[in-house]
Amino acid sequence: MTADLDPIIHPTHRLRICAMLVAGGTLELSVVKEHLDLSPSALSKQVAALVDAGYVKQERLGSDTRRVWLSMTRQGRKAYQGHVAALREIVNATTVPAPD
Amino acid sequence: MTADLDPIIHPTHRLRICAMLVAGGTLELSVVKEHLDLSPSALSKQVAALVDAGYVKQERLGSDTRRVWLSMTRQGRKAYQGHVAALREIVNATTVPAPD
DNA sequence: CAGGTTGTTTTCCATAGCGGAAACTATCGC
DNA sequence: GCGATAGTTTCCGCTATGGAAAACAACCTG
């Protein structure tokens, strides 16, 4: 009943990264970097955290294999959905502990 | 157009505290503590951060002045609304940077 | 294929945030 | 006044974060 916020996803940069990937499918790392205006190292680390958690897949695709592409894994999509559900639950809460 | 996430509000405990107060009006600190299952010191610190930001008002009301009551300030409510708007914007984003 | 360039990751470092435990302050009820 | 109750602060260790620069990888050109 009480969905939990996912601490891997919640921090602002990672939440944004996931949102982009969920909406956009497979995106180039550099596109995400520009869109979120993150430094290379900051982005790389946040993405690494998502990859470590099994939420995001990284691959070098296309003709120029220097470029990295990102996409959500099935597990990541599920975790993201759960996280968003938890956010909605919190934000939409109308019920509040009854006063004494 | 791009609303920003508020770093004061975003962290999970503070988000929950704000959500409770926005929904519940004036609540006793201990009620919040029980509801969120936080240790005394953890709660005290998170609330202090919200108070420092001017988002939450703390007062000792009623006969037992040991008990602290919490409520959102006007500024806090506004910040919370903005934060939630930003969350919605991120989560509902359908538009994504166009591919090459 | 050497050398330069571009894209990404890693290392190093300094700083901020967080939470538990325990000491402390203030108040209450008897 | 005393023990119990509510909350805050201090102290401490741990994790997270981010910038800068070094390192690494892949590409491109001559």
Side-chain angles (χ1 to χ4, degrees):
Chain A
M1 183 117 280
T2 302
D4 285 330
L5 294 175
D6 186 323
I8 302 291
I9 296 178
H10 191 70
T12 65
H13 296 331
R14 293 204 291 265
L15 179 65
R16 290 190 134 108
I17 293 168
C18 290
M20 280 187 77
L21 294 177
V22 165
T26 301
L27 298 177
E28 222 186 289
L29 181 65
S30 64
V31 170
V32 176
K33 175 179 173 295
E34 295 310 318
H35 191 65
L36 303 187
D37 193 31
L38 287 175
S39 74
S41 83
L43 177 63
S44 203
K45 288 166 191 174
Q46 297 309 319
V47 168
L50 292 169
V51 170
D52 287 352
Y55 291 175
V56 164
K57 188 175 52 170
Q58 244 175 340
E59 12 180 23
R60 295 179 184 261
L61 299 171
S63 52
D64 187 344
T65 59
R66 284 173 299 184
R67 295 180 136 80
V68 167
W69 296 74
L70 303 177
S71 57
M72 297 299 283
T73 62
R74 190 173 304 279
Q75 188 191 353
R77 237 181 301 273
K78 194 160 188 176
Y80 179 78
Q81 282 166 11
H83 186 75
V84 170
L87 282 176
R88 286 193 212 284
E89 206 173 286
I90 291 166
V91 160
N92 295 335
T94 52
T95 19
V96 155
D100 292 342
Chain B
M1 186 114 277
T2 302
D4 286 330
L5 293 174
D6 186 323
I8 301 291
I9 296 179
H10 190 70
T12 65
H13 296 332
R14 294 203 292 265
L15 180 64
R16 290 192 136 107
I17 293 169
C18 289
M20 279 187 77
L21 294 177
V22 165
T26 301
L27 298 177
E28 221 185 292
L29 180 62
S30 64
V31 170
V32 176
K33 175 179 174 296
E34 296 309 318
H35 191 65
L36 301 189
D37 193 32
L38 288 174
S39 73
S41 83
L43 177 63
S44 204
K45 287 167 191 173
Q46 298 308 321
V47 168
L50 292 168
V51 170
D52 287 353
Y55 290 175
V56 164
K57 188 175 54 171
Q58 245 175 340
E59 12 180 21
R60 296 179 185 261
L61 301 170
S63 51
D64 187 343
T65 60
R66 285 172 301 185
R67 294 183 137 79
V68 166
W69 297 75
L70 303 177
S71 56
M72 297 299 283
T73 61
R74 189 173 303 281
Q75 189 192 352
R77 237 181 300 274
K78 195 160 188 175
Y80 179 79
Q81 282 167 12
H83 186 74
V84 170
L87 282 176
R88 286 194 211 285
E89 206 173 287
I90 290 167
V91 160
N92 295 336
T94 52
T95 20
V96 155
D100 292 342

